Amino acid sequence: MNHWYQFDATEVLRQLNTNPDTGLSAAEASRRLLESGPNELRELPPKKPWVMLWEQFTATTVLVLIVAAVVAAALGDYKDAAAIMAIVIFNGILGFIQEYRAGKEFAALKKMAVPKARVWRDREWQQVVASELVPGDIVQLEDGDQVPADARLLECTNLRTQESAFTGESESVEKSVAPIAGESLPLGDLHNMVFMGTIVTYGRGRAVVTETGMNTELGKIADSMQSVEQEQTPLQRRLDQLGRRLALMALALVGVIFAFGIVRGEDFEMMFITAVSLAVAIIPEGLPAVVTIALAIGSSRMLKRKALIRKLPAVETLGSVTTICSDKTGTLTENRMTVTILSLAGQRVDLRESFAEITSRLDGKKSIFRPGDGVTLPAPMAITLVGSSLCNNALIPNQKELHHQEFDEHRPDSEVPRAIGDPTEIALVVAADRLGLDKDELEDLFPRVAEAPFDSDRKRMTTIHRIERTDGDWKHRNSTAALLPPVSSLPDTSYIAFTKGSVDGLLSRCKQVWLDDKPDPLTETWDQQIRSQNDRLASSGTRVLGVAFRPVETLPEPGAEVTVEQDLIFVGLVGMLDPARPEAKAAVQICNQAGIRTVMITGDHPLMAKHIAEELDISHNGRYLTGLDLSRLSLAELEQQVEDVSIYARVSPQQKLSIVDALKHRGHIVSMTGDGVNDAPALSKADIGVAMGITGTDVAKEAADMVLLNDNFATIVAAVEEGRVIYDNIRKFIRYNLTGNTSGVVIMLLAPLLAMPLPLRPTQILWINLLADGLLALALSVEPAESDVMRRPPYPPNESVFSRGVGRDIIWVGLLMGIVFLLVGDYFLEARWENWQTMVFSTLAFSRMSLALAMRSERDSLFRQGLLSNQPMLVAVLVTFSLQMAVIYTPWLQGLFETQALTTQELWISLAISTVGFWVVEVQKQFLRWRRK
């Protein structure tokens, strides 16, 4: 370990050759990236293609076939041996292609899950992928961030990090900037360093990167570890169990068929190979591959719809969700904040109207104030804007350029180019700037010296600033100072604290209210008037924050900054419009049709939440519960109300956990959204934890199963739809595959009872198995959503794969097909048709193609769906049909598969009879549709 902790911050920057004023240049960062390599942990390389290929030929069922081929060759039956080996090779290549494709899909998804970092380069704050960080980069760290690299702290305010992964201590570690003396100190004592992979649990800071990638402390640990194999999903485990049961069933059936053959005097070698081939055909060895492909393709489709799946089991569970608990801001609303109202004691300023009036003294354009206009903002307005801009962590590069931009009343304040931070805070900074108050210049007049970061329980944030009084007046200091009231009108103290947060909580900490140019006692009348203004704004869908301040004589002790949040002077309300997303209402309606209930959980004002919820049709009874209400309810009492309440406001993260618990106790499968550090328990507890990709903290993303890349509620609904489609398609494959397998088993099992020779040769059985488990199965895995996929209730996640008619169809459709094909074969045998065996073989092969078409939907007719609605399926049918025709009519394949060229009549008869399964399934669907009506 380099002893960066021993040097002061200036020396660390000098050794790393970093200018703190400008940061690294883009060219220098690129050079260092080439030199040091990407800031990421090396992993064991992915499974090599030749290993994938080797594993295809060492699977149990394949080894059984290879043994059968060897036995056949040893007995002199080289033709059967060659045919079996050809099918083994073909099947192995197909399986390799499937696995290789799935691996590529998952690798692409994994690359999307990389964290980002805020870095100071070329004199501006930029957001870059953490893997692009280099030694010497200056990064910003805030509450909830995952530390992107090992770094030496340059400045910090109440910064604490969770380092239990390194030290084993569960308590967060308080950080500082001062150098530390000593040699080879343990990591737990390095309080001026932060380490890659740890979590910022409180406060904020800036640090310079000292080590990246495998040179970090986390990298050293990773170097000695092996990567863990991807665990199977619950569905895959259930299907594995199904496969084992089918294998036992196959052995029993094969034993019976083998015994029948021997008793009837069939050739031992032929019966042995036939029995082995039939056993392989019964077991749906393509099932794991189809499940993997379906999950990978589904995850990829979700990614295109801006939902990143972090944990594969989430794909399955999504389709069973019954309740979606969603945050409001940014998820159900656009999170495109625009400050529209300043409600001050005694007056209200509508910024949308007042810009024209205020700027009329300028050059007639809608622009911000400029120095030298002789305009001074009224004290209440100035203090509100100054407080909301300074008590704020938004990073807005090139603010000087922004200061001279023309005002566009249609552009939300949170849509400032390259702005980094919470959209609400960006909107506050930009609103102040448009009235001439530049944040950089404000920080020059009021440098921040301490802070109490925002806390979801307190619902407020406080910053403490030193008042620069170098000459008793500051009008000449900068253009921003020219707009402020004289310095003499400020409190006669060295420091001032600004607090912003929820109005209700803020008023409980205030003793005075600012009127015109001085504070007055906060009487009950003023308290009620401010609360009434807040309620009126909130009920119209406006998000409201309160701003207060307090003169501070001496700085509080580090870690005790919250003690200044008392005896505050309330100065004003800031109202921001955040309209409901247009697509959110349609998404909520889709949820209602799909039997999924939407619940809004927010920290905002209950009237504002109620307004948005009613606008989006989330709530119809007007009922809501606040955090205060929830604190008075036991879990049992909450359970009695969760079915009727769809709005929860002023809720703390811990109360989110109680809501999830209550819903789960009522039997719901719950999806929960969250973005903060304290949301992590609720995200973990929910069946599907959904983190915000834009505003979410790294902690929330780490705890979540899915990340919304656009923080949009409609994306959750789209992901639920994809989850249902994936599960439906896996069930369709099982239904299709086992129904077809049953028909083949019935033919081979009942043929001896009719005193028939073996209807199918071993290679023919394996060939049909290859057709069914290959292209046709893959085509079913990409079947589009059924017409009613989001118009039916969710299915329980633990239901049997044979439920809802799958087991029924496997038995009765498979049995009917097998009996019909066998009786037709027996008829042609009795009629002494020379090609009867080829006809049975062809009929069974063609039946798999028509059966796949019929089983594309559980409800809709193929004629309603259309052949082109799943083009891969159409291609798969045409290819497999062509391959089967080649097996019938190509001379060298005829020898391999023991077939004869069918006459035109025989071919048409085989094709016609092969559609029995298709028509049976279609008639059954029509009957079910009629019965539902």
Side-chain angles (χ1 to χ4, degrees):
M1 182 196 304
N2 290 316
H3 301 312
W4 297 108
Y5 61 88
Q6 297 176 336
F7 307 115
D8 63 26
T10 304
E11 177 60 18
V12 172
L13 289 168
R14 189 192 66 78
Q15 290 193 30
L16 290 168
N17 197 22
T18 298
N19 184 334
D21 296 326
T22 64
L24 299 179
S25 66
E28 176 63 14
S30 298
R31 186 192 69 77
R32 294 191 186 191
L33 186 62
L34 288 173
E35 184 180 281
S36 62
N39 176 39
E40 56 190 16
L41 301 182
R42 282 197 306 269
E43 299 178 344
L44 289 181
K47 194 186 294 183
K48 297 196 177 298
W50 70 265
V51 175
M52 292 185 192
L53 193 60
W54 170 256
E55 289 177 351
Q56 295 300 321
F57 295 103
T58 54
T60 304
T61 53
V62 176
L63 287 175
V64 169
L65 284 177
I66 292 173
V67 169
V70 170
V71 170
L75 295 173
D77 190 352
Y78 299 110
K79 185 177 67 174
D80 272 350
I84 293 171
M85 287 307 299
I87 290 175
V88 164
I89 293 170
F90 192 10
N91 190 66
I93 292 172
L94 184 62
F96 164 76
I97 292 171
Q98 291 173 341
E99 184 176 354
Y100 184 76
R101 181 181 175 188
K104 287 290 185 185
E105 295 279 3
F106 284 126
L109 291 175
K110 193 170 184 181
K111 285 181 181 177
M112 291 293 299
V114 294
K116 294 194 168 128
R118 295 177 288 274
V119 60
W120 180 249
R121 287 181 184 171
D122 289 321
R123 295 181 183 272
E124 69 175 23
W125 287 104
Q126 303 174 14
Q127 191 154 313
V128 302
V129 176
S131 60
E132 296 176 3
L133 289 179
V134 296
D137 265 329
I138 295 174
V139 295
Q140 174 93 356
L141 301 172
E142 293 185 8
D143 181 19
D145 286 351
Q146 182 173 301
V147 178
D150 286 5
R152 169 66 162 86
L153 287 166
L154 303 176
E155 59 181 79
C156 65
T157 305
N158 299 330
L159 187 69
R160 293 174 177 269
T161 62
Q162 174 58 261
E163 298 179 353
S164 58
F166 294 104
T167 64
E169 296 292 332
S170 58
E171 291 294 321
S172 297
V173 179
E174 187 172 342
K175 294 296 180 177
S176 61
V177 177
I180 302 171
E183 296 287 337
S184 303
L185 297 179
L187 292 183
D189 292 342
L190 304 184
H191 299 309
N192 58 11
M193 299 286 296
V194 288
F195 303 101
M196 183 181 189
T198 60
I199 302 296
V200 178
T201 58
Y202 197 76
R204 68 186 184 94
R206 290 184 185 174
V208 60
V209 174
T210 55
E211 306 289 350
T212 59
M214 296 303 290
N215 292 324
T216 63
E217 295 302 316
L218 186 62
K220 293 171 185 174
I221 295 173
D223 197 35
S224 61
M225 294 174 61
Q226 301 292 321
S227 65
V228 180
E229 288 287 332
Q230 174 72 48
E231 288 188 8
Q232 284 188 314
T233 71
L235 178 60
Q236 286 173 320
R237 286 195 292 270
R238 294 208 322 262
L239 294 179
D240 271 359
Q241 187 178 29
L242 169 64
R244 286 193 293 271
R245 290 177 179 172
L246 287 174
L248 292 175
M249 186 187 304
L251 287 175
L253 288 171
V254 164
V256 171
I257 293 171
F258 181 77
F260 275 177
I262 296 300
V263 169
R264 293 186 66 251
E266 297 283 356
D267 180 68
F268 179 88
E269 173 200 341
M270 175 58 66
M271 287 310 304
F272 171 78
I273 296 175
T274 300
V276 168
S277 302
L278 193 57
V280 171
I282 292 173
I283 302 168
E285 64 272 8
L287 187 54
V290 167
V291 172
T292 304
I293 289 288
L295 293 174
I297 291 174
S299 300
S300 180
R301 283 200 303 233
M302 289 183 194
L303 184 60
K304 290 176 183 175
R305 300 175 81 168
K306 302 300 181 183
L308 173 64
I309 299 298
R310 293 192 65 257
K311 300 172 184 176
L312 206 56
V315 179
E316 303 164 17
T317 314
L318 272 167
S320 302
V321 165
T322 62
T323 304
I324 298 177
C325 296
S326 175
D327 189 17
K328 177 184 69 66
T329 305
T331 311
L332 293 167
T333 62
E334 294 183 2
N335 204 15
R336 299 170 60 186
M337 295 293 185
T338 305
V339 176
T340 56
I341 300 292
L342 293 179
S343 184
L344 314 168
Q347 61 180 311
R348 171 172 160 151
V349 180
D350 190 327
L351 296 184
R352 293 167 296 184
E353 299 171 358
S354 59
F355 270 116
E357 181 182 345
I358 295 173
T359 58
S360 63
R361 282 170 283 188
L362 304 178
D363 56 6
K365 293 176 63 179
K366 279 191 176 182
S367 68
I368 45 75
F369 290 101
R370 295 190 177 91
D373 291 314
V375 178
T376 300
L377 293 174
M381 190 173 182
I383 296 172
T384 301
L385 291 168
V386 169
S388 59
S389 183
L390 288 176
C391 186
N392 194 311
N393 288 328
L395 303 173
I396 302 183
N398 298 327
Q399 189 149 351
K400 297 291 184 185
E401 295 177 19
L402 173 68
H403 193 63
H404 292 284
Q405 286 179 5
E406 184 172 308
F407 171 64
D408 178 4
E409 63 183 339
H410 299 294
R411 185 187 69 180
D413 292 350
S414 56
E415 283 194 350
V416 177
R418 298 183 301 282
I420 300 171
D422 180 78
T424 300
E425 295 203 326
I426 293 171
L428 294 172
V429 173
V430 176
D433 187 272
R434 285 177 176 165
L435 284 171
L437 302 178
D438 180 279
K439 183 177 180 180
D440 291 338
E441 294 183 353
L442 283 174
E443 289 181 334
D444 182 48
L445 302 173
F446 303 95
R448 187 188 297 192
V449 292
E451 73 174 90
F454 175 82
D455 182 271
S456 52
D457 293 322
R458 288 172 25 249
K459 293 186 174 62
R460 56 184 170 267
M461 171 185 179
T462 296
T463 54
I464 305 172
H465 304 262
R466 186 173 62 252
I467 303 175
E468 296 289 351
R469 300 175 184 272
T470 53
D471 53 7
D473 198 3
W474 54 25
K475 289 298 178 182
H476 67 284
R477 289 280 295 273
N478 54 45
S479 59
T480 293
L483 295 170
L484 298 177
V487 68
S488 58
S489 66
L490 290 172
D492 187 21
T493 57
S494 300
Y495 305 98
I496 186 170
F498 291 107
T499 302
K500 78 173 193 300
S502 73
V503 177
D504 295 335
L506 205 55
L507 282 173
S508 67
R509 295 282 172 169
C510 292
K511 289 291 181 69
Q512 295 175 292
V513 59
W514 189 273
L515 295 177
D516 296 327
D517 58 356
K518 67 183 190 318
D520 266 17
L522 180 64
T523 63
E524 185 176 341
T525 301
W526 273 118
D527 185 282
Q528 291 178 353
Q529 184 174 328
I530 293 169
R531 292 181 189 274
S532 176
Q533 291 172 352
N534 179 40
D535 289 349
R536 278 200 302 272
L537 289 171
S539 63
S540 65
T542 303
R543 185 176 189 187
V544 188
L545 288 177
V547 179
F549 74 98
R550 175 192 168 183
V552 177
E553 293 289 348
T554 58
L555 290 176
E557 292 292 323
E561 288 82 2
V562 292
T563 58
V564 303
E565 294 178 351
Q566 55 187 337
D567 300 331
L568 299 174
I569 303 169
F570 190 89
V571 63
L573 305 176
V574 181
M576 290 164 280
L577 279 180
D578 180 19
R581 289 181 181 268
E583 64 273 26
K585 186 167 186 176
V588 171
Q589 290 174 344
I590 291 172
C591 284
N592 293 336
Q593 292 174 351
I596 301 170
R597 184 162 154 251
T598 305
V599 173
M600 177 194 289
I601 303 178
T602 179
D604 280 340
H605 193 283
L607 293 179
M608 181 183 178
K610 182 172 176 284
H611 175 86
I612 297 294
E614 289 176 346
E615 182 181 344
L616 296 177
D617 288 336
I618 290 174
S619 174
H620 300 284
N621 58 14
R623 288 196 61 194
Y624 61 80
L625 290 175
T626 65
L628 185 61
D629 298 327
L630 291 172
S631 66
R632 297 169 179 163
L633 296 176
S634 67
L635 183 60
E637 291 170 331
L638 179 58
E639 282 182 38
Q640 294 173 0
Q641 300 200 40
V642 288
E643 300 289 357
D644 299 321
V645 177
S646 297
I647 307 170
Y648 298 87
R650 289 284 189 257
V651 171
S652 70
Q654 185 59 37
Q655 290 168 333
K656 280 189 176 184
L657 191 60
S658 299
I659 296 169
V660 172
D661 271 333
L663 286 166
K664 292 186 74 170
H665 285 173
R666 298 285 294 186
H668 289 278
I669 306 298
V670 183
S671 167
M672 167 67 76
T673 65
D675 56 7
V677 177
N678 293 339
D679 288 331
L683 294 177
S684 299
K685 181 73 173 177
D687 298 283
I688 297 291
V690 181
M692 303 296 105
I694 298 174
T695 60
T697 61
D698 292 334
V699 177
K701 293 174 187 175
E702 200 65 30
D705 304 289
M706 182 172 80
V707 177
L708 301 184
L709 301 182
N710 57 1
D711 291 9
N712 190 339
F713 177 80
T715 303
I716 305 175
V717 180
V720 169
E721 179 182 345
E722 290 291 351
R724 290 188 174 192
V725 171
I726 290 167
Y727 184 58
D728 284 352
N729 288 348
I730 291 171
R731 282 169 47 87
K732 287 172 188 174
F733 169 78
I734 294 171
R735 182 171 172 238
Y736 154 74
N737 187 279
L738 295 186
T739 301
N741 288 356
T742 300
S743 65
V745 170
V746 167
I747 290 173
M748 297 300 290
L749 188 63
L750 298 184
L753 299 180
L754 298 178
M756 292 176 62
L758 289 177
L760 299 171
R761 314 300 291 176
T763 51
Q764 294 172 350
I765 296 171
L766 295 175
W767 174 250
I768 294 171
N769 185 55
L770 184 63
L771 291 181
D773 284 358
L775 295 175
L776 293 170
L778 286 178
L780 273 177
S781 71
V782 297
E783 180 66 31
E786 295 209 34
S787 59
D788 69 336
V789 70
M790 293 300 282
R791 293 202 303 270
R792 58 167 171 78
Y795 300 137
N798 57 349
E799 72 169 6
S800 166
V801 292
F802 296 114
S803 65
R804 291 181 283 113
V806 171
R808 174 199 65 207
D809 289 354
I810 289 171
I811 294 171
W812 91 270
V813 177
L815 189 63
L816 178 64
M817 288 170 59
I819 291 174
V820 169
F821 298 161
L822 185 64
L823 291 178
V824 170
D826 186 56
Y827 171 80
F828 291 129
L829 173 63
E830 293 294 328
R832 301 187 181 279
W833 286 36
E834 185 179 352
N835 297 333
W836 74 273
Q837 280 183 312
T838 302
M839 290 180 69
V840 172
F841 167 52
S842 300
T843 300
L844 194 58
F846 291 139
S847 73
R848 291 302 186 97
M849 303 166 205
S850 61
L851 192 63
L853 290 171
M855 290 189 169
R856 283 181 50 197
S857 171
E858 293 184 13
R859 290 178 170 81
D860 294 334
S861 167
L862 176 66
F863 305 105
R864 180 179 175 183
Q865 288 180 290
L867 289 172
L868 296 179
S869 58
N870 182 352
Q871 294 182 11
M873 174 61 78
L874 184 59
V875 171
V877 169
L878 293 175
V879 170
T880 51
F881 178 81
S882 300
L883 290 173
Q884 180 61 25
M885 294 294 283
V887 166
I888 298 172
Y889 293 106
T890 304
W892 70 272
L893 287 176
Q894 288 175 343
L896 196 63
F897 289 96
E898 301 183 51
T899 60
Q900 292 84 36
L902 298 179
T903 65
T904 303
Q905 180 188 18
E906 290 170 338
L907 178 62
W908 280 110
I909 290 173
S910 298
L911 284 170
I913 297 171
S914 71
T915 62
V916 166
F918 172 86
W919 294 113
V920 165
V921 172
E922 285 293 329
V923 169
Q924 176 181 260
K925 287 192 285 189
Q926 178 61 43
F927 172 75
L928 292 175
R929 288 196 300 270
W930 172 79
R931 190 174 69 175
R932 277 194 299 273
K933 289 180 181 179

